[in-house]
């Protein structure tokens, strides 16, 4: 059957009152953006606490469902068949046809649930349920009514037209992007940081991202991998400004001036410092990393504390307590895994010491960072000045050309 319309379900907990209005507005905006990537024209409307998508011309069902499945805030997508408001016998015929086509294998229990918003309809919702239920049983005797735990819930909404639906395709959940401010994601080419970005964005937060690049020690392909990952996240989060920061000279300087077993931790402190400067410059309210306790030497509790002390903005680490397996499962689900496991090295792997400190002492690290005093400030400044910005969207990438 042809679905002319979709009912969009969203979780309503915590979004009462004024927030609800903002929530719905952000949701509708994000849906419109997502649908722009699809063939066809659509109307996205709100009506009595519900959100609808109406297809105004031919469209590709799978493409539209996929687009909506990338909109945070949506918990369910119900494809609907629409007909005129008809007398009960004719309506019953439509409903029978609908059930027959949705469930060719008819061995199911069911229940009809009617919402009568058009109070002029001559029967009330109980009577309509009974009439439609009887008609379905008549047409398909192998089906059975179960009012408590039906396998199929046939929903009939009578408004200015009649809407029929039964399947609910799961959405991603979360909150619509745009209601939660913006954060700066430290995006490497690994498995964890794309998942971390996805998770924060899922709470309604827009993202910018920063990648610390170390040419010629890292290849063009390593950058491309990060761009690809950003693009996969952008399908959910909307546009990401990806800051490609040249980190080579800072890394070499640290390598020259600091003990090698402290390279990683000092390097990470500079990444955080630069990310924070960028975050402030671009109105981000916090940083996001893919760190997870104990995963590597730079992510022991002690190392995390020493890295963290250089930041004044909050640092969000959504996968902090996840096992690697769980992060992998999630990266497969959101579609970043296959890109993340491509072999191109990111900047860290090249300068990694054989035995990095696992219990850095903040005071010692601070003392060794003093070795960098002469040139580090100008290097940080230069890194930010030569920031190459890529504007990454789900549908494509372009270079930022300046104001
Ligand atoms: P990931 O899988 O996200 O790369 P990881 O397990 O490789 O993480 P680290 O290399 O220690 O862990 O990095 C920890 C976090 O620091 C990353 O999750 C990311 O947020 C950030 N990070 C590391 N390297 C870079 C980089 N080159 N550019 C930007 N951020 C980085
Ligand atoms: Mg990494």
């Amino acid at each position: 059957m042809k679905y002319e319309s979709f009912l969009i379900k969203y979780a309503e907990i915590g979004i009462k009152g004024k927030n609800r209005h903002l929530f719905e507005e952000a949701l509708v905006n994000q849906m419109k953006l997502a649908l722009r990537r699809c063939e066809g024209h659509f109307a996205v409307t709100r009506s009595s606490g519900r959100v609808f998508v109406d297809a105004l011309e031919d469209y590709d069902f799978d493409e539209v469902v996929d687009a909506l499945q990338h909109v945070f805030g949506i918990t369910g997508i119900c494809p609907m068949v629409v007909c005129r408001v008809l007398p009960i016998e004719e309506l019953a015929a439509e409903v029978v046809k609908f059930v027959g086509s949705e469930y060719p294998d008819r061995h199911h229990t069911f229940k009809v649930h009617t919402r009568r918003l058009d109070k002029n309809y001559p029967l009330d919702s109980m009577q309509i349920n009974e009439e439609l239920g009887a008609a379905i049983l008549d047409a398909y005797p192998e089906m059975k009514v179960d009012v408590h735990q039906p396998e199929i819930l046939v929903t009939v909404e009578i408004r200015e037209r009649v809407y029929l639906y039964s399947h609910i395709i799961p959405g991603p959940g979360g909150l619509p992007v745009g209601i939660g401010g913006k954060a700066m994601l430290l995006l490497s080419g690994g498995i964890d940081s794309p998942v971390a970005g996805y998770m924060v964005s899922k709470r309604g937060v827009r993202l910018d991202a920063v990648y610390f690049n170390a040419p010629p020690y890292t290849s063009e392909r390593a950058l491309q991998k990060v761009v690809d990952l950003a693009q996969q996240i952008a399908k959910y989060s909307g546009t990401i400004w990806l800051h490609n920061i040249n980190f080579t000279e800072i890394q070499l300087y640290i390598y020259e001036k600091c003990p090698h077993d402290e390279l990683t931790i000092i390097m990470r402190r500079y990444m955080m410092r630069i990310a924070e400067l960028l975050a402030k410059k671009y109105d981000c309210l916090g940083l996001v990393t893919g760190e997870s306790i104990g995963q590597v030497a730079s992510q022991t509790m002690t190392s995390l504390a020493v890295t963290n002390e250089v930041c004044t903005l909050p640092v969000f680490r959504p996968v902090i307590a996840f096992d690697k397996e769980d992060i992998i499962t999630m990266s497969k689900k959101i579609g970043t895994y296959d890109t993340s496991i491509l072999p191109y090295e990111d900047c860290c792997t090249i300068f990694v010491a054989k035995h990095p400190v696992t219990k850095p002492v903040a005071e010692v690290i601070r003392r060794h960072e003093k070795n960098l005093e002469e040139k580090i400030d100008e290097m940080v400044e230069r890194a930010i000045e030569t920031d190459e910005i890529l504007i990454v969207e789900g549908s494509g990438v372009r270079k930022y050309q300046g104001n």
Side-chain angles (χ1 to χ4, degrees):
M1 277 187 120
K2 203 158 156 270
Y3 305 107
E4 278 178 53
S5 192
F6 296 85
L7 169 68
I8 302 303
K9 298 205 177 232
Y10 52 87
E12 292 180 42
I13 303 158
I15 52 160
K16 299 279 183 264
K18 189 162 145 262
N19 287 341
R20 180 187 180 115
H21 176 74
L22 293 175
F23 178 100
E24 285 182 354
E25 225 166 63
L27 182 66
V28 166
N29 279 340
Q30 292 307 118
M31 288 170 57
K32 284 181 179 167
L33 281 176
L35 289 167
R36 246 194 245 163
R37 295 200 296 270
C38 303
E39 290 277 341
H41 267 95
F42 306 89
V44 182
T45 49
R46 289 192 277 164
S47 150
S48 40
R50 329 202 81 191
V51 174
F52 296 95
V53 176
D54 293 306
L56 305 177
E57 50 187 59
D58 275 349
Y59 69 98
D60 182 315
F61 179 82
D62 292 336
E63 187 183 55
V64 165
V65 168
D66 181 69
L68 295 173
Q69 282 187 309
H70 284 79
V71 178
F72 290 135
I74 294 180
T75 56
I77 302 154
C78 312
M80 302 198 288
V81 167
V82 185
C83 65
R84 283 185 298 119
V85 178
L86 297 163
I88 192 69
E89 300 77 26
E90 287 171 60
L91 181 59
E94 289 295 328
V95 171
V96 163
K97 199 161 73 181
F98 171 75
V99 171
S101 118
E102 295 285 286
Y103 302 98
D105 154 36
R106 309 226 160 94
H107 294 271
H108 295 287
T109 60
F110 78 98
K111 172 182 166 180
V112 179
H113 171 63
T114 302
R115 292 183 79 212
R116 190 185 59 136
L117 287 106
D118 171 5
K119 299 294 177 205
N120 293 325
Y121 199 79
L123 305 178
D124 69 22
S125 37
M126 286 300 285
Q127 292 167 320
I128 301 171
N129 287 344
E130 278 165 26
E131 294 284 338
L132 298 181
I136 293 171
L137 284 175
D138 247 9
Y140 312 123
E142 58 277 52
M143 292 184 70
K144 279 201 190 71
V145 174
D146 180 344
V147 289
H148 300 295
Q149 280 191 310
E151 288 159 5
I152 302 171
L153 184 65
V154 181
T155 304
V156 181
E157 290 207 6
I158 304 182
R159 298 165 173 262
E160 73 295 353
R161 294 198 291 169
V162 177
Y163 296 85
L164 307 176
Y165 71 89
S166 153
H167 285 293
I168 304 179
I169 303 164
L175 300 173
V177 172
I179 60 168
K182 191 165 70 167
M184 180 65 72
L185 168 67
L186 283 87
L187 181 61
S188 68
I191 295 171
D192 309 321
S193 46
V195 171
Y198 170 92
M199 287 175 75
V200 167
S201 172
K202 188 173 169 185
R203 300 310 299 165
V205 178
R206 279 190 296 133
L207 294 176
D208 272 356
V210 52
Y211 170 58
F212 295 96
N213 198 352
Y217 301 96
T218 54
S219 62
E220 254 317 292
R221 290 202 294 186
L223 170 64
Q224 187 56 46
K225 181 177 161 182
V226 173
V227 172
D228 290 346
L229 289 170
Q231 198 171 356
Q232 282 146 9
I233 304 168
K235 288 191 177 135
Y236 291 94
S237 71
T239 310
I240 295 176
W241 282 34
L242 173 62
H243 302 271
N244 179 21
I245 296 288
N246 188 325
F247 201 52
T248 312
E249 119 180 306
I250 294 176
Q251 266 189 312
L252 290 173
Y253 193 47
I254 299 173
Y255 193 75
E256 183 194 326
K257 299 281 186 188
C258 299
H260 286 186
D261 60 346
E262 291 171 6
L263 282 182
T264 308
I265 191 85
I266 294 177
M267 204 179 69
R268 294 206 42 72
R269 281 160 62 98
Y270 277 95
M271 282 187 185
M272 298 303 263
R273 287 180 174 114
I274 293 174
E276 173 156 309
L277 288 170
L278 283 174
K280 288 180 175 164
K281 184 170 172 185
Y282 292 94
D283 301 323
C284 297
L285 301 172
L287 305 179
V288 181
T289 77
E291 289 162 310
S292 164
I293 297 171
Q295 208 185 73
V296 286
S298 59
Q299 297 175 26
T300 61
M301 286 291 280
T302 331
S303 298
L304 287 165
V306 174
T307 311
N308 200 69
E309 78 160 15
V310 303
C311 302
T312 57
L313 285 179
V315 181
F316 303 111
R317 300 177 171 90
V319 299
I320 194 71
F322 279 38
D323 289 347
K324 190 77 187 185
E325 272 315 304
D326 297 333
I327 303 174
I328 289 175
T329 304
M330 197 138 170
S331 77
K332 286 181 179 162
K333 199 184 98 198
I334 66 173
T336 51
Y337 182 74
D338 289 340
T339 309
S340 288
I341 59 169
L342 294 173
Y344 321 122
E345 71 295 338
D346 70 11
C347 69
C348 310
T349 42
I350 290 165
F351 294 93
V352 175
K354 283 214 179 63
H355 301 289
V357 283
T358 52
K359 289 194 181 150
V361 178
E363 258 167 48
V364 177
I365 300 291
R366 269 181 247 141
R367 183 154 17 98
H368 291 150
E369 278 182 354
K370 285 228 166 16
N371 301 348
L372 304 169
E373 244 168 15
E374 194 191 335
K375 293 192 190 155
I376 196 70
D377 288 348
E378 67 185 83
M379 285 182 173
V380 167
E381 224 166 274
R382 192 155 43 239
I384 290 177
E385 266 165 25
T386 56
D387 174 12
E388 181 197 40
I389 303 174
L390 297 169
I391 300 179
V392 180
E393 308 193 19
S395 52
V397 180
R398 64 182 197 281
K399 274 202 176 131
Y400 177 69
Q401 304 290 4
N403 294 310

